[in-house]
Amino acid sequence: MNFDIKKYPILSLANSVKNLRCLSIKKLPQLCFELRKYLLDVIFFTEGHCASGLGVVEITVALHYVYNTPFDNLLWDIGHQSYPHKILTGRAKNMDSIRKKNGLHPFPFRRESQYDPFGMGHSSTSISAGLGLSIAAQKEGKNRKTICVIGDGAITAGMSFEAMNHAGEIKSDLLVILNDNNMSISKNVGALNKHLKVLKNVKCNDTLKNSFFENLSFQYLGPCDGHDIFNLIHFLKDIKNKKGTYLFHIITKKGKGYLPAELNPIKWHTFSKKTSSSANNIPTYSEVFGSWLCEIAHIDKKLIGITPAMCEGSGMSNFSRLFPNQYFDVAIAEQHAVTFAAGLAAAGYHPVVSIYSTFLQRSYDQIIHDVALQKLSVLFAIDRGGIVANDGPTHQGVFDLAYLRCIPNLVIMTPSNENECKQMLYTAYMYKKGPTVVRYPKGKGIGEPLMPMHMIPLGKSVLKRLGNKIAILNFGTLLKYAMSVANNLNATLVDMRFVKPLDKKMIIKLSSQCQFLVTIEEGIVSGGAGSSVNEFIMLKKILVPVLNIGLPDAFISQGSLKEIRHSYELDAEGIEKKIFSWVSSY
């Protein structure tokens, strides 16, 4: 479906930024109205990020109206704010494909458009990248400008502070626009957020002193109404003619122009038709985690739940309300979250860090240096492990098993259903000899009843089916496909459950009984769970062929979960085809 942009007369005229700059300034309010309406049409059809884009319509129009993009560098942080930017930069007619297979990327993407000078899917990278671009522009000597729009709580992350600290010292030609809407995905928290509230009460002027930003040698401008297109253009034209490091503070409303999103920006951060209907009562893995967390908190006052600004997404809403003294939202600060948890564990508390797989990458050194090296009992509840579908390569949780497996003192568990997830969370929580990981996917379980909590024997797998010749070793929630394949091929099937420690006795037993071993995981094959089986077999000089099935050495683009699994042969049909072809070649 291609949206009929002709329904929007001003927006259809502004089908390129060159044409946009030819519009009379008096027509820009109408352009903003049409752009917001078109954006809503797109989101209601495609699903995806909603409230953030609605809040930046005026600043998007103003920036492209004033600055000479794409010659001037314009960066969007966090990237889910960039839908209006995509519409105005020649991608309007393809917006129906956003977040879909072979369609537009959900975030700024260098290979998609010359208007995207830097890819941005994770938060808080814009000032660092923008500073690099501004230094390059300075060396180029062509008066190229660099603008970073940072919003939705992204400025709370340590990387933003590091970049501002550096930028304030070297004083390059850089404009940072702080889109202050008092929101991340959840409500903003922290001391900086309180400081911004103080600044909001100051009359808009050019020379406010003693702000946090002024003390970092940024020239502070604002605060300014981020929905007043005329005032925005006035300020931006003035800044454009100046040299130096500026921070322009604008106040916006997340979800602006669509009342449900304005009233509930958390719910409308992302619009999904699936979440608006309740087809069944099967809980998501995030909900299973949240329910388990509350269950434990009732009996253990030393439990501390920690999230880096993902309360709702991680299923911690009820926990945060019922146990406010045991709950900490540390804002978008994954590194801090991990070391904060380490400090609590060192003091005898029982921290649980709930974090998405793709965001845990940002705290890798802290996991190694601050937690594992000291054998501190921190439980990492890793959400969104595996394919995360429509959010594309920046959000696919496919590297965690590979990057965690090599860390000493770490126990790693991969549940195959929601009840097993609950029992593994309990087992990990009760383990006090070091850090633990329970890695589970996005979305609903399979309908497995949730049983009372009990301990799972460490490193113990479960035989699911006894067959001939082929033994399938499954890690995680692809078990349902593995069972179908095992039935068709009359193969032995084992739910391994633990990536670390491995059930070595089971591997030795299967190697003596079967001619072929096959490992299955929804993660990168290189260094993943299957690789641990390979290493053990080689170490023991066991002469049995092993096939590792998982994801290839590539970044996984967007698409539906079903499409991606089919493309990479991780559904039942693909797994069976791979095994049959491999075995037949012997």
Side-chain angles (χ1 to χ4, degrees), residues 196-316:
L196 294 178
K197 288 180 179 178
V198 172
L199 295 181
K200 287 178 187 179
N201 294 323
V202 178
K203 186 177 179 181
C204 187
N205 62 73
D206 292 351
T207 57
L208 178 70
K209 300 298 179 184
N210 296 320
S211 75
F212 170 78
F213 308 106
E214 288 282 347
N215 290 327
L216 284 176
S217 299
F218 275 74
Q219 298 179 67
Y220 175 90
L221 303 173
C224 182
D225 181 356
H227 300 301
D228 184 340
I229 186 71
F230 301 119
N231 208 24
L232 286 173
I233 288 174
H234 168 75
F235 265 86
L236 291 174
K237 283 183 174 179
D238 185 51
I239 299 168
K240 184 182 178 183
N241 294 322
K242 296 177 179 178
K243 293 279 188 181
T245 308
Y246 285 85
L247 186 131
F248 183 26
H249 184 189
I250 66 169
I251 313 300
T252 63
K253 181 78 173 174
K254 192 168 182 177
K256 175 71 174 178
Y258 183 60
L259 187 59
E262 288 187 26
L263 295 175
N264 194 343
I266 294 174
K267 177 182 177 181
W268 285 89
H269 175 78
T270 303
F271 171 73
S272 172
K273 297 169 188 173
K274 297 185 183 112
T275 57
S276 61
S277 63
S278 52
N280 55 53
N281 293 320
I282 296 174
T284 66
Y285 282 89
S286 302
E287 289 167 343
V288 170
F289 165 72
S291 176
W292 168 83
L293 199 62
C294 291
E295 195 173 348
I296 288 288
H298 275 293
I299 58 177
D300 186 358
K301 298 304 179 187
K302 284 201 166 185
L303 177 143
I304 303 292
I306 301 166
T307 178
M310 302 302 295
C311 178
E312 286 75 23
S314 292
M316 296 179 75

